[in-house]
Amino acid sequence: MFSNKTEFKELFLRRLELLHGKPFSDSSLREQYQTLGNMVREYISEKWISTNEKYRSHHQKQVYYLSIEFLLGKLLGQNLLNLGIRDIVEEGLSELGVSLFDLENMEEDAGLGNGGLGRLAACFLDSLASLNLPGHGMGIRYKHGLFEQKIVDGYQVELPEQWLKYGNVWEIRKADEAVEVAYWGKVETSFENERLVFRHVDAEKVLAVPYDIPIAGFQTDTVNTLRLWSAEPLPNVSCQDVLKYKRNTEIVSEFLYPDDTHEEGKILRLKQQYFLVSASLQSIVSSYRKLNKTMKDFHHHVAIHINDTHPVLAIPELMRIFIDQEGMGWDEAWEITTKTISYTNHTTLAEALEKWPIHIFKPLLPRIYMIVEEINERFCRDLWDIFPGEWDRIANMAIIAHGVIKMAHLAIVGSYSVNGVAKIHSEILKQREMRQFFEIFPEKFNNKTNGITHRRWLLKANPELSRLITDVIGSNWVYKPEQLMELKRHAYDPAIKEKFLKVKQTRKQILANIIYEQNGIKVDEHSIFDVQVKRLHEYKRQLLNVFHIMYLYNRIKEDSSFTIYPRTFIFGAKASPGYYYAKKVIKLINSLADKVNEDPFVSQMIKVIFLENYRVSLAEKIFPAADVSEQISTASKEASGTGNMKFMMNGALTLGTLDGANIEILEEVGEDNIFIFGLKAEEVLNYYENGGYRSTEYYHHDPRIRKVIDQLMNGFFPDVEDEFEPIYDSLLSHNDQYFVLRDFASYVEAQEKVEKAYQNQSSWLEKAIINIAHSGYFSSDRTIQEYAKDIWNISPVRNTL
């Protein structure tokens, strides 16, 4: 298409006129962005077509990664970087008087995810393509995403994400590959040719229409696919209320994570999950048929991975396809299914290990329920053979019990691999949460510590630091991130440290400008940028961070001789719309921000910032600017975390508990280059099992704790009345289930060590550079190579045009 800036400019001007019917001089920024986006997608398309042809002609085994979320962020900048044409485009646009930065800002963050689960899936897609591995994503094309967060008077307000308002230049609608997904109705059986046949009749059907997005690898010819499904009404459907049918259909792909506090929301969530897996598996099987291979060999050519429990219905759905459509017997279908599907567990939280009430599941998905019921019956018979008479054990392990279907149990029984996402998480699964399953399926369980794509979180997000690293150790780290380790021997070089400090100050100034633009608050770019950005959840303990800030406020107000090194505390988080408690914490953070920032004396030393609508594009500005990475979850609760890796890769030091991947970061960098505090996982689990923790004892015996907790209720925060009573009650009346008070003193002590360490700038810079050097281990390239070799059995394919 173009190989230099002159060709680019000519093509850009011509395409803009053709697309928008106006000369360049009359065009808007949005029209210029859409023109560039279309050009880049077309630039990718030749490689995309060639990649798919290569996979087909070589009969290459391919993996399909099913996830309810794909948190892609903006794609223009990443695609330009991966294709190696960013400089040509930037220079060409500049000569036309157009800023590439401005065009990138016209793109909306794709509304396809919420937190770490979806961002991990996006990083994995990037690594698959960049490593020339045949792997694709399958998800849902949410019309309005999760929600756009606004902060109004300190409260979270949710608005629909309008990310598709102007279309999506990266997607291609494939209406000819649409499939039908069936709900409700009933199952009729009959004998045909001495075989029992099942027919799902009187069903309400939805049309699943695929939209394909190319996923270009970094400076490689491989372009994989992210297929997103949109729910649409069937044409010419006959029903009594067409408008109601249209609404019931389209709502399936309208929002991510509908509020499931009521039964209607639960039904919609289950509809979404089946919509994803049924459409995806029909598509996968259809593609496989075109290879003219027997279904008996399906698992030799296809690997299907389910990212957490949301897509677990892939197991009974694949059984349905094999039995009802392909005519297989149960045993053959089960053998192939269980050799095709692998499962990643992302949590030990009971509420996240999904359980579906039978009274909802059975009428909505009658044929799928029959299959799940049969899987359960056969599994329980097998358990009886192993553990005769042990009714309690069998009931605990059953897929269906006490009126619910346990999706994690179905995932373990119906897959050939079950992996956790950090060493400690995998051990907790094996030794505690899923111990009974591990005892009978030890070969299934393994660990794959999460990773992040350094191409997004270092090369793209922090170009200044990337250039510095390349100047110091060469550019090979871009292709082999483990070679970042070569940076370690330069950590003590005063000249390198000075250059790193300059880079960090540049990024802090950029974030300071964003804070001023969005919040109207000027922050000191020379202060410590102490950052906690992640989903708002009790176990992530934003509350512990808040209490420490309140404690600092109190000390500054009470003791005129007390001073601290200036600190800017930065928060970013969305609370699920139905998560009442989490919304209270967001209000508390914002009330504290008002209290601190409006105090002329206190605000000289500390400021508190809540950045609304936390998302990938904002995260790309935050991580490079951070000095301190807050990873303070209750030990044993965070499966892995990936924010900790992004901070580390950008030279921030971790302040954290021994939880998730924090432990492996500690193993990498050593205890001198990280700040660890708080209970260990085994201590937390012991409290849960045996009791012995009384939060009131900490309230009564630590005056610092008593003061901050009392301030939730005593008018310290004006005009909120009993707003924070649920937080107060959770800590004292409900015994502080995430041990905020237990870890408070240890956290304060760790924060004092952070402040002291930061003031020794030379030593701090050494620690930061050492963290960057060790961050290569946490590249998603390493993680995906482990998945490819140990789980999926797929190999790189070199694509030649």
Side-chain angles (χ1 to χ4, degrees), residues 594-610:
D594 291 342
K595 186 87 174 178
V596 169
N597 300 339
E598 292 171 8
D599 188 302
F601 183 64
V602 175
S603 63
Q604 293 177 54
M605 285 179 267
I606 57 175
K607 283 197 169 71
V608 180
I609 305 297
F610 188 96

Side-chain angles (χ1 to χ4, degrees), residues 70 88 123 132 134 147 168 171 256 276 325 358 368 417 433 447 473 607 617 628 635 645 711 719 721 778 790 798:
F70 285 94
I88 290 173
C123 285
N132 297 298
F147 60 84
N168 177 11
E171 67 185 14
L256 169 65
L276 166 62
Q325 295 180 4
I358 292 174
I368 296 300
S417 171
E433 300 299 323
N447 175 64
I473 65 171
K607 283 197 169 71
S617 59
V628 178
M645 303 169 190
Q711 285 172 332
D719 305 321
E721 298 180 356
F778 296 103
D790 301 339
R798 293 288 173 187

Side-chain angles (χ1 to χ4, degrees), residues 305-325:
H305 197 86
I306 49 181
N307 189 30
D308 216 1
T309 52
H310 313 106
V312 168
L313 291 178
I315 294 165
E317 176 65 5
L318 192 56
M319 290 291 290
R320 182 192 71 81
I321 292 171
F322 285 157
I323 294 170
D324 296 359
Q325 295 180 4

